[in-house]
Amino acid sequence: MRSTQDPALLKAFAAELKARRAVRGLNQEELGFASGLNRTFIAKLETATTSPSLTSLIFLCNGLEVDPSELMSSLMKRYKKELRTRSAAE
């Protein structure tokens, strides 16, 4: 079975999550606590080794105190940049 994971999207999400966590001055454990998620799950998201469920995404937005639409808008900008970078490298 073929994977439905998009490496460029995972990388863009990882970068966006890490940047927003840093702006809020939170470490992974603090974000985990604020969002009700496990620190190791946060670490896996930030290393682009897993993707969040819709529920986890909403919990992360709550922990980061950001509207989901704002996070998605920023994510899409990073994703498009990541796709351009990958295309240029090929």
Side-chain angles (χ1 to χ4, degrees):
M1 178 181 223
R2 205 171 86 186
S3 174
T4 58
Q5 300 289 354
D6 181 341
L9 183 57
L10 287 176
K11 187 173 178 181
F13 182 77
E16 186 65 25
L17 178 61
K18 192 171 185 175
R20 287 186 177 267
R21 181 176 59 77
V23 166
R24 299 269 308 133
L26 301 172
N27 62 34
Q28 290 176 344
E29 189 169 335
E30 291 166 333
L31 176 56
F33 182 78
S35 60
L37 300 169
N38 191 292
R39 184 208 58 83
T40 57
F41 180 64
I42 304 291
K44 288 180 181 181
L45 292 171
E46 289 187 359
T47 57
T49 55
T50 193
S51 62
S53 67
L54 182 57
T55 301
S56 296
L57 186 61
I58 298 302
F59 288 173
L60 284 168
C61 287
N62 289 339
L64 291 167
E65 298 179 3
V66 63
D67 189 82
S69 63
E70 182 185 331
L71 180 68
M72 289 297 101
S73 178
S74 297
L75 171 59
M76 290 310 296
K77 288 177 186 173
R78 282 187 190 265
Y79 179 52
K80 288 175 184 176
K81 183 178 179 182
E82 183 65 30
L83 289 176
R84 284 192 303 272
T85 301
R86 285 180 182 244
S87 292
E90 292 177 350

